[in-house]
Amino acid sequence: MNPERVRHLIQRQTQNPKKYVLYWMQQSQRVHYNLALNVAIQLANQENLPLVVFFGLTSDYPDANSRHYPFLLEGIREVKQDLETLGACFCLFQGSPEEAIKPLLADALIVVCDAGHQTIQREWRKNLYFHLIKHYPDLDYYQVETDLIVPVDIASDKLEYGAYTLRPKLKRSIPAFLDFDPLPDLHVKATVDCFSFASNTVPESVSNPNWTPQQVISLSEYFTGGYREAKKRLEHFIHQKLSRYEESNDPSLALTSTLSPYLHFGQIGVLEIVHSIMSASGPESQKAAFLEQVIVRRELAFNFIHFNPHYADFSHITESWAYQSMTIHEKDPRPYHYTVNDYLAFKTHDPYFNAAMKQLVLTGFMENYLRMYWAKKIIEWSSTYREAFETTLYLNNTYFLDGRDANSYAGIAWCYGRHDRAWPERPIFGKLRYMNQAGLERKFKMNDYLERIKQIEQSY
């Protein structure tokens, strides 16, 4: 494993006997291809200590709701089972993770954590760092990037303008970050009665009293959480869909991998996906098209949220030319105006948008091209660009299983000009890229898509 994935943030100043190495699992909710777990096991073996794995379950994660938590918990149950099979001790404590972990620190010789790039994830890790600096001089602290191919600050040192500026930088670095060592055996096994918290159970649900009735979102029967389901979907994609990947924008064909929710929760690693695609049989052009998305476009999204801490604030999401254009066209007449309630009732004049909303509400998923069209229509039907952005962000974060993700934040920003170019001027959109029904009908078999959504609706 490339050592540049590992940051030794704190080196212990004193030497005291301790009971275990502690891995704080948060973003990378898996055992397989989890490079932070690999590092934690290696360090535990070097110190001849058992490994404790901690997961912090917070009921007030921003915008998380009753659709997201069951998916997460399905994966965590697998993680607990797999870790205990390895001989590690798994414990789940409810509460803000950087606080919930504190009872475990006194007996830890080393703490390892995975990397997270969203604002709250970075705040958690920063808060723990300063707590360790102040209270634990006899403890080492490591952070390992295990959810990207190239660590975001190695891929680039600035906010990139677009894929064409990041791609050459990634291509120079990718070969050095494709290596992977199999999961080591744990030398010192943690028995069930090793520690008082070893029998900690994974709850069936999370109770959040702040959820209003409108926020209690129905479960998606289309997705089951966890690594095993993600692996099954990856293998199905490789054998049944990869050879036609360049047609995957067509929402009638259902040719996408559907792995984005699993990547969002860290239930499958991007490195495993890349290794699987690279070693698969099939047309090289199709494999290259998929790798462009899962590496270049995904890392561009992480570059966006890493170097732009205001990625969820309309005032900071895009380029100056786009803001100038939107200012000019802010008062353009809108032939239609719809509200969130109209969208959720599927009551717009656009049958494709209504079908896309049904797919989102029922399954928690939508194909990428249609997702762009969906967001563009909200721009067209809102009184202001800010209103459109806030509506899109709300629906994205509430209903998509892969919402609240670097990819979705960057995807929404793209609709407002980020990572795009200025287009010929037109009403409402100004120089922003425009999308319409005729374009969908010209490119895709949209009647087939409508029939597909009808069948999904009838199955619920």
Side-chain angles (χ1 to χ4, degrees):
M1 183 183 69
N2 192 311
E4 289 190 277
R5 288 190 179 278
V6 184
R7 298 174 64 193
H8 195 172
L9 299 174
I10 302 175
Q11 190 165 358
R12 62 183 182 264
Q13 303 300 312
T14 60
Q15 194 81 4
N16 292 316
K18 297 296 185 76
K19 294 182 178 180
Y20 47 76
V21 168
L22 177 62
Y23 165 37
W24 170 21
M25 173 187 287
Q26 201 64 46
Q27 170 55 36
S28 307
Q29 298 167 26
R30 63 184 183 275
V31 169
H32 303 277
Y33 272 78
N34 183 338
L35 303 176
L37 177 60
N38 278 32
V39 169
I41 291 176
Q42 290 167 2
L43 292 169
N45 288 344
Q46 289 175 17
E47 302 293 341
N48 201 36
L49 290 172
L51 176 66
V52 172
V53 179
F54 159 80
F55 181 80
L57 181 63
T58 175
S59 64
D60 58 357
Y61 191 93
D63 298 320
N65 60 45
S66 56
R67 169 168 288 187
H68 305 119
Y69 280 109
F71 185 90
L72 179 152
L73 291 171
E74 285 167 347
I76 291 298
R77 289 188 195 98
E78 280 190 10
V79 167
K80 175 176 166 55
Q81 177 184 342
D82 291 344
L83 285 170
E84 290 174 351
T85 299
L86 287 174
C89 172
F90 177 79
C91 60
L92 180 151
F93 293 165
Q94 296 197 44
S96 187
E98 87 279 28
E99 293 295 326
I101 197 174
K102 287 181 178 179
L104 302 175
L105 297 175
D107 290 322
L109 180 67
I110 300 169
V111 175
V112 179
C113 73
D114 45 44
H117 300 281
Q118 293 187 42
T119 299
I120 190 170
Q121 295 175 320
R122 295 170 76 171
E123 287 177 353
W124 285 342
R125 289 158 178 80
K126 181 181 71 174
N127 291 342
L128 179 62
Y129 170 82
F130 285 114
H131 181 75
L132 295 177
I133 285 286
K134 183 176 181 180
H135 297 287
Y136 292 96
D138 55 350
L139 188 151
D140 279 289
Y141 185 37
Y142 294 84
Q143 180 173 288
V144 182
E145 176 57 78
T146 182
D147 270 39
L148 293 171
I149 297 299
V150 181
V152 65
D153 51 355
I154 293 175
S156 176
D157 60 358
K158 64 180 182 180
L159 181 66
E160 293 291 338
Y161 193 81
Y164 73 95
T165 64
L166 181 61
R167 189 179 295 108
K169 297 178 181 180
L170 286 172
K171 286 188 174 180
R172 289 193 292 269
S173 299
I174 286 169
F177 288 93
L178 290 178
D179 58 320
F180 176 75
D181 298 323
L183 199 66
D185 290 331
L186 262 171
H187 295 171
V188 181
K189 308 293 185 181
T191 59
V192 174
D193 58 352
C194 251
F195 309 107
S196 61
F197 45 77
S199 61
N200 190 264
T201 58
V202 179
E204 290 297 319
S205 63
V206 175
S207 176
N208 187 338
N210 296 319
W211 289 341
T212 65
Q214 290 78 20
Q215 292 174 311
V216 178
I217 309 303
S218 62
L219 298 181
S220 169
E221 297 179 15
Y222 188 70
F223 288 96
T224 300
Y227 171 79
R228 291 172 180 78
E229 177 64 21
K231 183 69 171 178
K232 187 189 305 181
R233 286 175 181 259
L234 174 59
E235 291 173 351
H236 178 74
F237 171 73
I238 289 172
H239 295 302
Q240 303 296 328
K241 300 179 180 181
L242 178 58
S243 62
R244 298 178 61 193
Y245 182 72
E246 288 181 346
E247 300 175 72
S248 63
N249 276 338
D250 188 338
S252 71
L253 299 177
L255 290 174
T256 59
S257 69
T258 67
L259 289 172
S260 57
Y262 302 93
L263 281 167
H264 169 71
F265 285 95
Q267 294 178 353
I268 192 168
V270 67
L271 186 59
E272 179 171 11
I273 293 172
V274 168
H275 281 176
S276 298
I277 296 297
M278 292 177 70
S279 61
S281 59
E284 291 300 318
S285 62
Q286 308 297 309
K287 292 162 64 174
F290 181 82
L291 292 173
E292 164 74 13
Q293 294 298 319
V294 80
I295 300 178
V296 177
R297 299 290 174 168
R298 185 169 182 267
E299 301 239 353
L300 180 65
F302 277 88
N303 171 273
F304 171 60
I305 71 164
H306 182 83
F307 288 103
N308 176 15
H310 307 292
Y311 55 83
D313 180 347
F314 177 74
S315 299
H316 298 278
I317 60 167
T318 192
E319 302 291 344
S320 58
W321 66 261
Y323 285 119
Q324 291 168 5
S325 180
M326 287 188 281
T327 299
I328 292 169
H329 291 272
E330 187 79 75
K331 302 301 183 182
D332 287 3
R334 269 68 169 171
Y336 300 95
H337 182 262
Y338 296 113
T339 66
V340 169
N341 288 337
D342 293 324
Y343 300 142
L344 292 174
F346 321 124
K347 288 184 177 179
T348 79
H349 69 284
D350 185 334
Y352 308 136
F353 182 94
N354 293 342
M357 277 300 304
K358 286 181 182 179
Q359 183 182 10
L360 171 57
V361 170
L362 293 174
T363 72
F365 185 79
M366 192 189 298
E367 282 75 17
N368 284 342
Y369 192 93
L370 198 57
R371 198 161 169 167
M372 294 183 289
Y373 175 84
W374 168 80
K376 289 289 187 179
K377 292 296 103 177
I378 295 175
I379 293 175
E380 188 173 348
W381 301 334
S382 299
S383 298
T384 67
Y385 300 103
R386 182 180 292 275
E387 176 193 302
F389 172 79
E390 291 175 353
T391 296
T392 306
L393 193 65
Y394 166 75
L395 292 172
N396 174 86
N397 289 3
T398 302
Y399 288 91
F400 280 108
L401 274 171
D402 63 359
R404 307 163 300 117
D405 187 85
N407 271 338
S408 57
Y409 288 118
I412 294 172
W414 175 88
C415 293
Y416 296 83
R418 171 67 65 181
H419 303 147
D420 203 6
R421 62 178 176 85
W423 290 75
E425 199 102 12
R426 64 179 305 121
I428 302 176
F429 284 87
K431 294 182 179 180
L432 300 180
R433 185 191 296 255
Y434 175 66
M435 299 175 76
N436 62 12
Q437 287 188 42
L440 288 180
E441 293 167 345
R442 185 173 62 252
K443 294 172 182 291
F444 311 127
K445 299 175 181 177
M446 292 307 296
N447 285 336
D448 290 352
Y449 173 69
L450 295 181
E451 181 60 30
R452 178 183 158 219
I453 300 307
K454 182 178 179 181
Q455 291 174 4
I456 289 175
E457 188 176 15
Q458 290 172 346
S459 69
Y460 273 74

